[in-house]
Amino acid sequence: MRSQLTRNAHRRLLAGGPGAPPCPASVLSSYHARARCLAASTPSLTLTTPPRRTFFGVFKKPARELKAPDVPPGYETLLQFRALEVEDARPPEREGLVTGFKEFFNHMRKRGGAAKIGRRISVPGSINSTQAFLAVRLLRHLLSTEGGGDSFTFADLKLILEIAVQPPRGKADNHLELVRLVYGETKRRIDHMRTIGLSEEEITQAIGISDRDQSTFFAYFITALTRFGASQEAVERMNDYQENLPKPSRVGAYTDDNFKAIQKANGMWIRVLRGLANEGLEDELIRSFSKLVKENGVKYSAGVHEILTTFYAERNRVEETKKWFSKPLFAGSIHPETYMAVVRFALRNNEQEWLESVMEGVVNSKPTKQVWDVVFQWAVLAKGKGVEDIKDMFKVMGSQKTEDPSRKLEPDGDTINSLISAAAEINNPYLAERFAMLGIELRIPPTIQTMLIQLDYRLDAGDMSGAAEVYGKLQKVVQGDEDVPVVNKYLRTLCASSQPPLERIISVTADLEHRHITLEPKTTRSLCSVFLRFDQQFEVIDTLSLHTVSYSLEERAIVRQAMMDYITDHKISTARVWDCYQLLKQFFPETSIEERVRLMDSFFDRKRPDMACYIFGHMRGHGNPAQRPNSDIYVKCFEGIGRFPDGESLRMVHNMLKMDTTVEMNTKLYNGLMLAYAACGDPIDALGFWRDITNSREGPSYNSLAIVMWACELAPRGEETAREIWKKMVRMDLEIPKVVFDGYLGALAASGKAQEEVKKLIGEMERGLGLGYGVGVETLGVTFNAIPTMEGKNAFADWAKVEHPEVWAELEKTGRRETMDGPKYNIERRFEA
């Protein structure tokens, strides 16, 4: 099935990751072989328990089949092309690539939602940064190969632009590059038509788009620049565009074409101003507006008023906000959105007195119904008005004379919604409910927006039963995707409760799945956390399969973090976290090497070196060389085995190291091997690595000396090697760390023949000898533990109690454990490579 093939390709692609640098070729080197395998295999992933023969087995339910991911049509083509491009392999036939590319963007157009609640305005769906990256790679290939962009009409290119300029849910790292590519192609074609002598009318006919306006493509380009952080470039582009506009034959003699072109340019300039404001570019914003007033005759319209006033209001710039708000408009009236920005600005900055004078002026100016709604919100937010007060204000509004005497200004659904929103904004759910009841009292039926607001504030108030009631009503009337944000919040709130209602959560997710809604990444993360907590592995797999395939890398990282947190939680059983790790490995091949090392350490801390080393093995076998372990990670793995020995795991990792041509042996690696082999009961091989260290150009480190002394303690006749090393250190007049000194004592004591020498050395340590340290708990503990006989241990203990009573008393506080070699004190000896 296509879904399985695509999911596999998607995972392998993400293992390398889009962007800079592009995923290495080895990530997808076996793509085609895997595809053939998958195509021939069972189409749906099925998890079953091991079979058991029972009499009642025939009555069992069949194993549950997991849901296939909701992969956009054509997306497989983008994935497959990138896979082959990374491999530097021959791409598929051009016709298939073009078909898949168009299929993907046509699907994204159809999945668009409503621009406004209550107004069924169709807008294209957006693509995330990963999808934009893949589209750039494929489109660049198609435009650069033989035939250029002949496979794409101007209508096709316009559709790509429509979708590419839509702001994505997350980052928009590659959207502007896609827009530049498409706009560049349209400009190249139009310039070529001019070069061969076509008239502007013939070019317009050749373009063949619905509005027959060449500047449409430029308008999309400007929109992208202002939405994706390049508004300063948009200023430069608009200046160039302005220079090429048709000029009047004489001053003031504008034709209809002149006037329309300037009007369209002014409309684009408004977008540029808004982009500059969004990016916080104050100087460029004021300079550009002043230039427009001077050169284009742009007036201080309501749109410009809203941009400039809101810019300063959001930054709490009191004097500038008042200045631009009070500046008279050339025509029209102030936008309701501007009034609301000013209301919130005044409340934040303790400017209620000024705000009250503004609102009084508004009420006395015969405002529109939409502005009256702002006045009502101000009454709630700033004046603390309740339901009865608002009723009186309704009467004042109704008494206002209108142009049509037969039509009075009356509250409607928008009015009630604005009041409910205001009550919710001041965290007063009781007042919000009263305003909702006021709507019913006035025979104003609740709208979808009413239900969305109610669901939102009931969630904030923790009224889960009330939220469930509203959700049930909402699902009966909702038509588009306008409820998706608040339903995502509903799911996250359910998941965050102390006792998550699992059946309710699954029911809500099923509703969204039926509508083919992709959840927000934070919601998917919450769902995975709850399903993992309740051991609902099938639900985790379904959730990941249905939603993560459409996420960008940044969005996938949000979901992955939930699984990382679960796996590293030591309160959860090892079996369950290992199952979760298997899902992480399957669904998130892009998991960083740092995260994988964290997981490996987590299993070492669980005293499961076998599982930790399997994680290391998965790193070693990763298709992306950048995801494979380097020498430091090998060392970290050997250190883990040193703490929690496992001979089989050690041999497995050591064999990987032998076969790894990218890792060069050094002292730290030899230290790690020496430590791991000594811990696994093979001190002879451990000492062999010491010889490798001494024969290397780098030579031993102090960590090497500490580890080799421990290996000497464990090895038969190891004291001989320890003496040789000690003599060399003394001869070279090296500074001897305490851990090395203690290790040397342990190596001598382990022979069972040098107790007097050990006591003498401990006495010299006590007297100083310039070592910088004295006898410590580790000194006596290492020596006692190393002595092989019970008689020797007792003799040493009797001596230590007399010579070092305080230190020995501290050692006894650590407690003793019985071993095959006799009693030993619980002192921790942790070595680092």
Side-chain angles (χ1 to χ4, degrees):
M1 287 177 66
R2 183 183 66 188
S3 58
Q4 288 292 320
L5 173 61
T6 305
R7 175 162 51 174
N8 180 266
H10 186 63
R11 290 180 189 145
R12 293 176 61 77
L13 169 67
L14 290 174
C23 44
S26 57
V27 175
L28 296 158
S29 57
S30 59
Y31 173 80
H32 293 295
R34 293 245 178 165
R36 287 192 294 270
C37 250
L38 282 166
S41 65
T42 305
S44 297
L45 175 64
T46 304
L47 297 182
T48 59
T49 54
R52 293 183 301 167
R53 296 183 58 137
T54 65
F55 176 77
F56 295 101
V58 293
F59 300 111
K60 284 186 176 181
K61 294 182 179 179
R64 170 176 170 178
E65 287 193 353
L66 301 176
K67 298 167 185 175
D70 188 10
V71 182
Y75 194 36
E76 178 187 344
T77 302
L78 276 67
L79 292 165
Q80 185 182 22
F81 171 78
R82 178 57 181 162
L84 297 175
E85 182 188 40
V86 168
E87 288 183 322
D88 199 18
R90 181 179 179 181
E93 292 295 328
R94 176 185 176 84
E95 182 179 352
L97 293 175
V98 172
T99 301
F101 189 93
K102 290 182 178 180
E103 187 179 18
F104 174 72
F105 276 91
N106 280 320
H107 171 76
M108 300 311 294
R109 176 182 60 184
K110 294 175 184 176
R111 67 178 282 183
K116 288 187 178 180
I117 296 171
R119 293 179 61 191
R120 299 303 300 161
I121 302 176
S122 179
V123 295
S126 63
I127 56 177
N128 61 44
S129 60
T130 301
Q131 292 167 335
F133 169 80
L134 296 172
V136 167
R137 302 303 304 180
L138 178 51
L139 185 59
R140 181 171 289 140
H141 164 76
L142 294 173
L143 295 178
S144 62
T145 54
E146 185 178 354
D150 294 345
S151 302
F152 295 94
T153 65
F154 277 101
D156 294 329
L157 297 174
K158 183 187 175 189
L159 172 61
I160 300 170
L161 286 174
E162 286 178 353
I163 293 170
V165 300
Q166 299 302 321
R169 180 172 48 208
K171 294 182 179 180
D173 295 339
N174 301 289
H175 288 65
L176 187 53
E177 185 179 1
L178 178 59
V179 172
R180 288 186 195 277
L181 184 62
V182 177
Y183 173 68
E185 174 63 15
T186 62
K187 190 173 184 302
R188 182 193 66 79
R189 292 190 193 183
I190 293 174
D191 290 345
H192 175 69
M193 286 188 278
R194 288 190 178 123
T195 302
I196 63 176
L198 292 183
S199 66
E200 292 302 312
E201 183 178 353
E202 290 173 321
I203 293 174
T204 301
Q205 291 176 351
I207 292 176
I209 56 179
S210 58
D211 57 4
R212 300 186 177 277
D213 188 350
Q214 300 171 30
S215 62
T216 297
F217 297 106
F218 181 71
Y220 279 125
F221 182 45
I222 292 298
T223 299
L225 291 174
T226 58
R227 282 183 176 175
F228 303 137
S231 294
Q232 283 189 310
E233 181 184 347
V235 172
E236 298 171 5
R237 297 279 187 163
M238 282 300 300
N239 287 333
D240 294 340
Y241 178 79
Q242 193 90 21
E243 290 295 323
N244 296 321
L245 287 179
K247 303 295 189 296
S249 57
R250 65 182 188 277
V251 177
Y254 283 96
T255 65
D256 287 344
D257 289 340
N258 296 144
F259 183 75
K260 288 179 180 178
I262 291 176
Q263 286 294 97
K264 190 170 186 70
N266 288 344
M268 288 189 279
W269 269 115
I270 296 299
R271 297 180 206 172
V272 174
L273 294 179
R274 192 175 298 278
L276 292 169
N278 291 338
E279 293 174 35
L281 303 173
E282 179 181 1
D283 293 341
E284 188 63 52
L285 173 63
I286 300 301
R287 184 165 50 247
S288 296
F289 173 64
S290 300
K291 183 179 179 181
L292 284 173
V293 172
K294 182 179 179 181
E295 298 182 5
N296 281 33
V298 170
K299 307 299 182 183
Y300 194 56
S301 64
V304 176
H305 176 269
E306 185 263 329
I307 292 171
L308 292 170
T309 302
T310 303
F311 175 81
Y312 289 107
E314 289 176 345
R315 288 157 180 78
N316 299 317
R317 303 266 292 274
V318 176
E319 295 306 318
E320 292 90 340
T321 302
K322 291 181 178 179
K323 169 190 168 183
W324 289 104
F325 178 77
S326 303
K327 189 177 176 67
L329 299 186
F330 171 73
S333 56
I334 297 175
H335 289 169
E337 294 80 7
T338 310
Y339 280 122
M340 278 309 305
V342 166
V343 168
R344 294 189 173 97
F345 152 79
L347 293 175
R348 287 195 306 270
N349 295 278
N350 197 27
E351 290 288 336
Q352 286 92 333
E353 185 176 346
W354 172 77
L355 178 61
E356 186 158 355
S357 66
V358 169
M359 289 294 111
E360 286 179 1
V362 170
V363 173
N364 295 328
S365 65
K366 295 184 178 180
T368 63
K369 161 65 178 52
Q370 290 74 22
V371 176
W372 267 111
D373 288 347
V374 176
V375 173
F376 299 143
Q377 290 184 77
W378 161 73
V380 174
L381 293 171
K383 307 295 288 182
K385 300 297 184 180
V387 173
E388 297 304 321
D389 299 315
I390 295 298
K391 283 183 179 180
D392 293 338
M393 295 180 71
F394 285 170
K395 294 176 183 177
V396 175
M397 178 180 69
S399 66
Q400 177 182 308
K401 294 181 179 180
T402 61
E403 294 181 1
D404 183 359
S406 64
R407 296 187 61 184
K408 291 176 58 178
L409 291 180
E410 295 179 340
D412 58 10
D414 290 339
T415 306
I416 299 300
N417 293 340
S418 65
L419 289 167
I420 297 174
S421 296
E425 192 170 333
I426 59 175
N427 297 317
N428 192 336
Y430 174 72
L431 182 59
E433 292 290 351
R434 291 201 63 194
F435 282 134
M437 294 303 297
L438 175 62
I440 296 174
E441 179 184 332
L442 298 176
R443 298 184 179 180
I444 300 173
T447 64
I448 293 177
Q449 179 69 7
T450 309
M451 298 178 192
L452 294 177
I453 300 170
Q454 283 185 307
L455 180 55
D456 189 56
Y457 75 70
R458 287 183 180 181
L459 291 174
D460 289 337
D463 180 9
M464 300 310 295
S465 60
E469 178 187 355
V470 175
Y471 174 79
K473 295 177 180 177
L474 184 62
Q475 296 311 299
K476 295 177 182 178
V477 297
V478 70
Q479 297 176 349
D481 298 344
E482 55 265 37
D483 65 324
V484 171
V486 72
V487 174
N488 271 268
K489 181 178 179 179
Y490 181 37
L491 276 172
R492 291 194 295 270
T493 306
L494 289 172
C495 292
S497 58
S498 57
Q499 294 294 328
L502 195 59
E503 291 186 5
R504 182 65 178 164
I505 291 171
I506 293 175
S507 172
V508 175
T509 56
D511 291 342
L512 295 175
E513 178 191 335
H514 180 71
R515 294 164 54 193
H516 300 283
I517 299 296
T518 299
L519 295 174
E520 296 172 6
K522 290 182 180 179
T523 307
T524 302
R525 178 181 65 184
S526 298
L527 288 172
C528 287
S529 296
V530 168
F531 291 149
L532 287 168
R533 174 181 166 187
F534 284 92
D535 204 20
Q536 296 290 317
Q537 191 179 49
F538 285 103
E539 298 298 339
V540 176
I541 296 172
D542 284 346
T543 302
L544 295 175
S545 296
L546 290 171
H547 303 289
T548 58
V549 71
S550 299
Y551 289 167
S552 67
L553 286 174
E554 293 79 12
E555 292 171 330
R556 290 169 62 83
I558 295 173
V559 182
R560 186 172 69 244
Q561 188 58 48
M563 305 186 77
M564 289 289 300
D565 293 342
Y566 184 85
I567 295 169
T568 55
D569 187 347
H570 290 275
K571 298 177 183 176
I572 302 171
S573 72
T574 301
R576 292 178 65 180
V577 300
W578 183 253
D579 287 342
C580 183
Y581 167 72
Q582 297 288 356
L583 295 179
L584 177 74
K585 179 171 70 75
Q586 179 183 5
F587 283 95
F588 298 95
E590 75 272 20
T591 303
S592 70
I593 198 164
E594 294 79 13
E595 290 172 315
R596 293 172 187 268
V597 170
R598 180 183 162 204
L599 295 176
M600 181 182 74
D601 287 342
S602 174
F603 280 99
F604 274 128
D605 292 340
R606 288 177 176 271
K607 300 182 180 180
R608 288 304 303 263
D610 52 336
M611 292 179 172
C613 289
Y614 274 122
I615 294 176
F616 180 91
H618 298 150
M619 273 192 281
R620 178 66 182 83
H622 203 287
N624 180 4
Q627 298 283 79
R628 295 174 189 163
N630 55 24
S631 60
D632 289 338
I633 298 175
Y634 272 101
V635 169
K636 204 165 187 62
C637 184
F638 289 135
E639 287 178 339
I641 296 173
R643 288 186 290 128
F644 304 104
D646 183 67
E648 185 177 346
S649 298
L650 170 59
R651 287 187 291 274
M652 179 182 73
V653 177
H654 191 189
N655 286 335
M656 292 179 192
L657 176 60
K658 293 175 183 176
M659 300 291 291
D660 197 334
T661 59
T662 65
V663 175
E664 186 176 347
M665 295 301 298
N666 56 31
T667 296
K668 286 187 70 174
L669 268 172
Y670 284 127
N671 286 348
L673 285 165
M674 181 165 55
L675 172 62
Y677 271 92
C680 291
D682 196 349
I684 302 300
D685 282 348
L687 292 176
F689 296 116
W690 166 254
R691 288 187 287 274
D692 290 332
I693 293 173
T694 58
N695 293 330
S696 69
R697 181 178 302 178
E698 187 179 357
S701 63
Y702 279 116
N703 287 342
S704 306
L705 295 172
I707 297 169
V708 73
M709 288 300 180
W710 182 47
C712 291
E713 176 186 327
L714 301 175
R717 302 179 63 180
E719 80 282 359
E720 297 177 4
T721 303
R723 290 181 192 278
E724 292 175 6
I725 297 170
W726 184 262
K727 289 177 182 177
K728 192 170 184 178
M729 287 192 294
V730 172
R731 186 170 62 251
M732 296 176 66
D733 195 24
L734 294 179
E735 181 180 345
I736 302 173
K738 187 174 185 299
V739 65
V740 176
F741 198 110
D742 292 344
Y744 178 55
L745 294 176
L748 295 180
S751 67
K753 306 173 185 176
Q755 281 208 36
E756 294 305 316
E757 184 180 357
V758 168
K759 293 175 184 177
K760 180 180 178 182
L761 286 171
I762 293 176
E764 292 175 351
M765 178 189 288
E766 181 68 19
R767 290 191 293 274
L769 295 180
L771 295 174
Y773 48 80
V775 178
V777 172
E778 295 80 7
T779 307
L780 300 183
V782 167
T783 305
F784 179 88
N785 289 350
I787 296 173
T789 64
M790 196 64 224
E791 181 182 355
K793 288 179 183 290
N794 291 334
F796 180 79
D798 293 339
W799 173 84
K801 289 176 184 177
V802 174
E803 297 295 328
H804 308 284
E806 294 180 359
V807 179
W808 185 260
E810 288 297 319
L811 175 62
E812 289 188 324
K813 290 180 182 178
T814 66
R816 296 203 308 187
R817 67 185 187 279
E818 292 297 328
T819 71
M820 295 179 63
D821 300 323
K824 292 188 177 183
Y825 283 99
N826 298 320
I827 57 171
E828 182 180 5
R829 300 178 71 182
R830 187 160 184 169
F831 299 98
E832 294 183 358

